[in-house]
Amino acid sequence: MSRRYSRITGTGSYLPERRVSNEELVAELAQRDIETSDEWIAGRTGIRARHIAAPDELSSDMAVHAARAAMQAAGCAAGDIDLLIVATSTPDMVFPSTATIVQRKLGIAGCPAFDVQAVCCGFIYAISVADAMLAAGSAQRALVIGAEVFSRILDWNDRSTCVLFGDGAGAVVLEAGEVPGILACDLHADGRYTDILCVPGHVNRGQVMGEPLLRMDGQAVFKLAVQVLDKAARAVLDKAGLGDGDIDWLIPHQANLRIMQSTARRLHLPMEKVIITVHEHGNTSAASVPLALDTGIRNGQIKPGQRLLLEGVGGGFTWGAVLLNL
Ligand code: UT7
């Protein structure tokens, strides 16, 4: 019997309507005596704007928008989906999972639905899990979504983090078949680095215990990210028996332009082969890779049949890569 593979057949994304430019954010923060500048934000990160969810807009709402666009692109209906995975660290509720809420909103009861929590590497984890389930024959057509409302877990008085993140969602439809789409996945985590990027609070007997806002040692994350992203890229290329020259597009986690430049340099890839969207939406955690992927496909940069390297890195510490043919 021939091997089963999974392949992306459609992508979609969503950004909340409210766009906040660096200039607007700088002015807003200045009213509270928090000093920052467009020069600092854009110069250190490449971020020029972020989108902020409406007060009543949830991760599941944004996920549904992205999912509908991905299903339309794939030419399938919600009823054709038999596996639903949402990568998020900002779920609607403690439980049930955001995936089950998305399932209800899409009207597709019955198929397995669950969340994956690997922070900014969440989508890479989710698509790897979906690929394994499709290859094993557990499902035929998966909806894999990254959706986040990080604006709700930011300390808006901490200039070292609040300028970096935004809200959004991205989704793909993944279908099982005999034609190889996903060629290799590589996932890692190292729990010794929990403290460098975390939201340490939790709920206990109806009270929020500890700090429920994002804390990050930016320099430590930066240094580690650069090292592990290179290793993950090498690992998927090795698994697939391919080399640097076989990549058409690098689609990295959109957190910092300088990290993306460093990853590209190490892979001997010109920046013309890197999809960059961080300037428009900042760091959207698990949504960032599918947002960048969908943007690159819809604006015509990425073409059918090309080979893509997707990479993620985030809190945990978690990191990983996926190599695929579109
Ligand atoms: O999604 C998970 C992955 N996350 C990431 O990849 C984030 C990784 N880290 C980074 O992207 C960078 O480390 C940051 C963008 C967070 C920070 O850039 P940096 O070049 O590492 O700056 P820094 O933290 O060393 O801070 C440099 C200076 C400090 O001032 P002093 O001590 O040199 O006087 C900060 O206080 O910049 C200051 N600073 C700011 N100044 C203006 C920090 N935040 C701001 C700000 N505006 N918003």
Side-chain angles (χ1 to χ4, degrees):
M1 215 173 85
S2 58
R3 202 196 131 174
R4 267 168 72 99
Y5 292 92
S6 79
R7 197 169 66 86
I8 292 176
T9 54
T11 64
S13 61
Y14 172 81
L15 288 170
E17 205 175 305
R18 185 170 165 232
R19 180 183 188 274
V20 180
S21 68
N22 284 351
E23 289 77 6
E24 285 168 75
L25 184 59
V26 168
E28 213 174 278
L29 292 174
Q31 286 176 3
R32 286 184 282 119
D33 293 328
I34 299 165
E35 208 183 306
T36 185
S37 63
D38 171 51
E39 194 187 2
W40 191 96
I41 303 168
R44 302 260 174 166
T45 70
I47 298 167
R48 298 195 174 274
R50 70 286 298 139
H51 290 246
I52 304 290
D56 59 349
E57 201 168 27
L58 301 167
S59 285
S60 65
D61 296 319
M62 296 192 292
V64 164
H65 284 296
R68 288 206 170 110
M71 289 188 294
Q72 191 176 30
C76 72
D80 300 326
I81 301 298
D82 58 3
L83 172 64
L84 200 166
I85 307 179
V86 175
T88 187
S89 299
T90 46
D92 291 9
M93 302 180 187
V94 172
F95 73 78
S97 68
T98 302
T100 58
I101 298 168
V102 170
Q103 193 193 38
R104 169 170 55 76
K105 289 180 178 175
L106 290 175
I108 43 170
C111 74
F114 57 92
D115 287 2
V116 163
Q117 217 273 41
V119 200
C120 301
C121 195
F123 182 78
I124 299 296
Y125 266 64
I127 196 169
S128 303
V129 170
D131 171 59
M133 290 180 72
L134 263 55
S138 314
Q140 182 61 32
R141 198 173 283 103
L143 192 50
V144 185
I145 309 169
E148 303 276 20
V149 274
F150 260 51
S151 63
R152 305 222 171 108
I153 53 166
L154 295 176
D155 177 351
W156 288 98
N157 291 314
D158 175 9
R159 69 174 183 173
S160 71
T161 54
C162 75
V163 301
L164 304 175
F165 294 87
D167 304 333
V172 301
V173 173
L174 209 58
E175 296 192 28
E178 288 178 11
V179 181
I182 291 186
L183 304 171
C185 303
D186 188 60
L187 298 180
H188 297 275
D190 189 338
R192 288 174 299 176
Y193 295 101
T194 306
D195 292 348
I196 64 172
L197 179 50
C198 58
V199 178
H202 65 281
V203 178
N204 185 342
R205 295 170 190 260
Q207 304 289 320
V208 175
M209 310 294 278
E211 184 66 65
L213 300 173
L214 185 145
R215 293 279 168 251
M216 178 167 75
D217 176 345
Q219 282 195 9
V221 172
F222 193 108
K223 280 186 199 142
L224 209 52
V226 169
Q227 288 170 25
V228 298
L229 287 173
D230 187 48
K231 282 191 192 148
R234 301 264 158 236
V236 283
L237 285 168
D238 284 352
K239 284 182 192 178
L242 297 168
D244 298 356
D246 297 314
I247 303 167
D248 291 312
W249 288 103
L250 172 64
I251 303 156
H253 172 46
Q254 307 286 316
N256 187 318
L257 182 59
R258 289 185 293 143
I259 296 179
M260 296 187 251
Q261 285 166 335
S262 165
T263 310
R265 212 166 28 244
R266 285 166 181 242
L267 286 169
H268 308 107
L269 279 179
M271 285 309 283
E272 291 70 40
K273 289 192 168 195
V274 185
I275 299 290
I276 298 161
T277 54
V278 70
H279 53 278
E280 178 56 30
H281 54 64
N283 184 345
T284 57
S285 186
S288 98
V289 171
L291 256 167
L293 173 63
D294 183 54
T295 304
I297 288 175
R298 283 176 195 264
N299 70 16
Q301 286 176 283
I302 303 172
K303 300 200 167 46
Q306 288 191 316
R307 186 163 301 122
L308 317 182
L309 175 61
L310 277 45
E311 284 201 303
V313 59
F317 212 65
T318 51
W319 67 96
V322 173
L323 187 69
L324 61 93
N325 289 340
L326 196 61

